[in-house]
Amino acid sequence: MNTFYLIKPYFVKNRSSIALGLVCLIAVDLLQLFIPRIIKLAVDDLASLKAGVSDLMWYALSIIGITLFITILRYFWRIFLMGMSRELEEGLRNRLFSHIQTLSASYFNKVKSGDLMAHATNDIHHIRMASGMGMVAIASAAVLGISTIGFMAYINLSLTFFVLIPMPGIILCTRFFSRQMLNAYMEVQSSFSELTEIVRERFTGIRIVKAYNREPESMSVVEKISRFNMEKNLRLVRITGIFFPMMVFFSNVSLSIVLYLGGRQVITGIISPGDFVAFISYIGMLTWPMMALGWVVNLIQRGKASLERIHRIVETMPDIYDKPDAKEIKDFKKEIVFDNICFSYQKGEQEVIKDFNLRLEKGKTLGIIGPPGSGKTSLLNLIPRIFDVSRGSILIDNNDIRQLITSDLRDMISFVPQEPFLFAGTVLENITFENPDIPEHLLIESVKKACLYDTIESFSKKFETIVGEKGVILSGGQKQRIALARAFLKDSPIIIFDDPISQVDAETGTIIINTIKDMAAKEDKTIIIVSHRLSAVRYADLIITMKHGKISESGSHEELMLKKGYYAKTFQLQEIEEGLNAI
Ligand SMILES: Nc1ncnc2c1ncn2[C@@H]1O[C@H](COP(=O)(O)OP(=O)(O)OP(=O)(O)O)[C@@H](O)[C@H]1O
C-alpha cells in the first residue's frame, strides 16, 4: 500500500532544512571521532615522556574546541530535523481532523471516538518518530557506525574484528526489547487514558454517586483501574530493567576483549598505549549506532502501520457528499415533500422510518408527537442530511435534497437538537459560533426571543462568561435556551426544533412557544417542531402522531381531538396534570 504520499509533501517542502540537518548530524558524528585521536596523541606523548605543558594545553584546548563545535552543530541538527517532524505531525493531525469532520454521522455510529482520539495522538506520534528520529537513527548508525569501525580498523584490524563479535548481540537485543518496550509503553498509555477517563466520569457524576451513597463502589472502580495501570508500569520497568544492563553487558564484553587482546598488543608493541585508550573510547561510541540499528527497524515498522491506519481514514469517503452536478439553492420558495421515505441506521437493519409521506408548505408549522423511540428525531435528522434516507426522497421545491449542494441546504435550516451541546468558551462564542461580525442588536434580539437575556445579564461577565467546567455551569434549561438563541440568530427560512422546551419551566416554555408562533406568523418561517408537551404543538397547522416510524394520526388540533386517539388522550392527560400542578 503506497501511503508515503501523506508525508512526502513535508519532506519535499523541508528538503533544504533536512539536507542542512543531515550535514550537521554527519559533521557531529565525524567530529566526535577525532576526540579519541587527540587522546591517543596525548597518551602516547605522556607514555614516551615527550609531552610538555604547552602540548597538553593544546590537546585540552582542541578537545574543548571540537566539543563546542559539536554542541552548536547538535543544536542545529535538532532544530532542522526535529522541526520538520513537528511540522509533519501538525499538518497530518490537521489533515486528519479536517477529513474526519467531512465524514457522515453514520461513520461516527460505527467508530468509537476513543479510537479516533488514538489515531490523532498515538498514530501521529509514531509517524513523527519514524520520520524524525528514524532519519536520525539511520544516518547516525550509518555514518557513526561505519566511520567508528573504520577508525578502529585503522588502528588494528584483527582487534577490531574481535571487538565487533558482541555487537550483533546489541542489535538483536535492541530489536527485541524495543518492540517489547513499545508494546509495554502503549499498554501504559492506554491504561492511563482509561484511568483518566474513569476519574473524569466519577467526578462528573459525583452528585449521583453521593445521592446514592456509592462512594465505596466508586473508589473500588478507580482502585481497580489504578492497580492495572501500576502493573503495566511495572512491566515497563521490568523490561527496561533488563534491557539497559544488557546493553552495558555487551559493551563491557567488548571492553574486556580490548583489555585482554589489546593489552597484549600494547605489551608486544603492535599498538601504542594511546591506540589502546582510543580503542576503548571507540567502543563506547559504537554502542549507540548498534542500538540505533536495532531500534530503527521497529520504529519504521510502527510508523508504517500507523501511516496505513491514517491512510484508511483519509481514504474513507463520506456517505453524504455533493454530486459533481449538485445544484445551488439559496431560497426556499414553496414546500418540503417527504415522498414515501424509509430509513434505517444500518443497511439491512430494522427501519425506524417507514413509508412516510407528507407535504409541508412554506410558512406552515408542522407539529410532531409520538411515544419515545417512534422515530421523531430520526426523521428530523434526515432533513439537513445528517443521515440520508434509505428509500424514497425528501424534496425541497421539487429538488431531491441529495441533488443539492449540502452547505446550501444546511444554510437554509436552523436546527435545535434534543440535547443541546455547548463548546468550551464564552456564552457569546456559543451563540454566535465564533462569528465576530454579528450585529449586536440581532444578538440581543435572538437572546431575548430565547428568554435568555435576563439570565445572561445576571452573570458578572455577561456575554463574556465562560461556560462549562472552567466557568459557569449552566442548567439544562439555560443550555437549551442557548441552543434556541443560536437558531433564532441564524434566521433561516426553515427551523427545526427537537423538543425545545423539555427542560424549561411552564412559564418560560409558554413564552418560547409564543415566540415560535410569532415567527411562523410574522416572519413566514417554516417550522417543524417535535415535542412531548402538546402545548408546544397544538397551534401547528398540521400535527402528526408517529408510531413505529409511521404516521398514525394527522390533522389540526381540533381534528385530532375529535379522533380521540393518542393525541387526544395525551392532551387530556397533560391538561389534568397541569390542572393538578396549578393547585
Ligand atoms: N444513532 C443511532 N443509531 C442507531 N439507532 C438509533 C440511533 N438513534 C436512534 N436510534 C434508534 O432509532 C429508533 C428511533 O429513535 P428516535 O430517537 O428517532 O426516537 P424519538 O421518537 O425521537 O424518541 P424520543 O421521543 O425518546 O426522543 C429507536 O429505536 C432508537 O433506538
Side-chain angles (χ1 to χ4, degrees), residues 263-526:
R264 278 175 41 174
Q265 289 189 346
V266 173
I267 294 168
T268 52
I270 299 172
I271 60 170
S272 71
D275 286 333
F276 177 77
V277 175
F279 226 96
I280 290 175
S281 303
Y282 286 132
I283 290 171
M285 282 187 178
L286 205 53
T287 312
W288 153 241
M290 295 299 140
M291 281 171 68
L293 266 184
W295 181 54
V296 78
V297 179
N298 289 342
L299 208 65
I300 287 176
Q301 270 177 351
R302 211 161 269 257
K304 197 166 164 273
S306 290
L307 202 58
E308 276 166 16
R309 279 193 286 271
I310 301 286
H311 163 78
R312 274 197 291 274
I313 299 178
V314 170
E315 287 296 295
T316 306
M317 288 304 291
D319 296 342
I320 292 170
Y321 58 93
D322 286 349
K323 298 223 159 88
D325 56 349
K327 266 170 74 177
E328 257 192 9
I329 182 160
K330 297 291 175 200
D331 250 352
F332 174 47
K333 295 196 181 91
K334 221 170 91 208
E335 61 184 8
I336 306 174
V337 173
F338 297 84
D339 183 13
N340 212 23
I341 61 163
C342 298
F343 171 66
S344 62
Y345 281 94
Q346 299 285 338
K347 238 188 191 153
E349 266 189 14
Q350 201 195 350
E351 287 174 335
V352 293
I353 304 287
K354 291 171 216 148
D355 308 323
F356 187 98
N357 288 291
L358 191 123
R359 173 186 300 272
L360 178 65
E361 282 172 29
K362 184 184 175 183
K364 300 281 183 209
T365 298
L366 169 69
I368 307 178
I369 66 155
S374 53
K376 303 181 292 296
T377 301
S378 307
L379 179 77
L380 298 187
N381 280 328
L382 299 176
I383 306 168
R385 292 191 75 196
I386 305 298
F387 295 96
D388 262 346
V389 293
S390 319
R391 273 184 290 137
S393 44
I394 299 177
L395 306 152
I396 289 192
D397 294 343
N398 279 331
N399 300 299
D400 187 321
I401 55 172
R402 288 167 296 191
Q403 308 296 336
L404 299 174
I405 296 175
T406 314
S407 58
D408 281 0
L409 170 73
R410 290 179 185 163
D411 273 345
M412 286 207 308
I413 300 169
S414 295
F415 196 109
V416 180
Q418 198 170 32
E419 284 162 21
F421 185 84
L422 297 194
F423 296 92
T426 64
V427 170
L428 183 70
E429 286 163 352
N430 266 292
I431 297 174
T432 61
F433 273 123
E434 295 161 25
N435 178 358
D437 303 325
I438 305 252
E440 197 181 337
H441 71 277
L442 288 184
L443 175 71
I444 305 279
E445 194 185 313
S446 30
V447 165
K448 282 188 175 163
K449 278 183 186 170
C451 293
L452 191 64
Y453 188 70
D454 292 341
T455 310
I456 295 177
E457 282 296 296
S458 72
F459 296 150
S460 61
K461 292 195 177 155
K462 313 230 184 298
F463 278 95
E464 293 307 321
T465 306
I466 307 265
V467 294
E469 286 197 351
K470 287 190 187 150
V472 175
I473 307 287
L474 298 183
S475 70
Q478 288 166 337
K479 282 189 202 160
Q480 198 164 42
R481 281 179 286 150
I482 288 197
L484 279 166
R486 265 181 201 159
F488 293 145
L489 186 64
K490 192 175 168 197
D491 194 30
S492 333
I494 301 167
I495 315 182
I496 297 174
F497 298 97
D498 194 354
D499 225 353
I501 55 164
S502 59
Q503 296 187 45
V504 297
D505 63 288
E507 197 185 335
T508 314
T510 309
I511 302 173
I512 293 172
I513 292 305
N514 284 338
T515 308
I516 298 176
K517 233 154 94 176
D518 279 357
M519 285 169 74
K522 294 183 198 147
E523 298 175 27
D524 207 19
K525 302 281 186 204
T526 306

Side-chain angles (χ1 to χ4, degrees), residues 48-179:
S48 59
L49 301 174
K50 276 196 308 199
V53 176
S54 62
D55 294 328
L56 290 177
M57 177 63 82
W58 190 88
Y59 290 136
L61 286 177
S62 312
I63 290 182
I64 290 177
I66 291 178
T67 314
L68 205 66
F69 212 39
I70 286 178
T71 311
I72 295 167
L73 289 173
R74 252 200 194 124
Y75 170 79
F76 281 109
W77 78 245
R78 286 200 85 84
I79 296 288
F80 288 134
L81 295 180
M82 296 298 134
M84 182 289 284
S85 67
R86 288 286 175 189
E87 197 177 307
L88 180 149
E89 179 184 36
E90 192 218 356
L92 215 51
R93 189 175 290 137
N94 289 347
R95 176 163 184 182
L96 185 67
F97 182 75
S98 119
H99 181 75
I100 291 176
Q101 280 206 116
T102 68
L103 296 177
S104 323
S106 55
Y107 177 80
F108 298 95
N109 260 7
K110 286 180 267 178
V111 178
K112 285 191 260 167
S113 48
D115 290 345
L116 291 177
M117 292 288 289
H119 293 313
T121 50
N122 294 343
D123 279 336
I124 294 204
H125 167 80
H126 290 142
I127 297 168
R128 173 175 68 81
M129 287 296 284
S131 16
M133 282 314 286
M135 199 158 51
V136 170
I138 290 173
S140 246
V143 176
L144 193 60
I146 292 171
S147 34
T148 308
I149 295 171
F151 271 62
M152 288 162 89
Y154 174 70
I155 297 172
N156 190 286
L157 196 60
S158 64
L159 189 56
T160 307
F161 172 75
F162 285 112
V163 163
L164 287 182
I165 290 174
M167 291 300 162
I170 295 188
I171 301 176
L172 293 177
C173 241
T174 315
R175 177 134 164 65
F176 176 76
F177 280 102
S178 64
R179 197 182 307 150

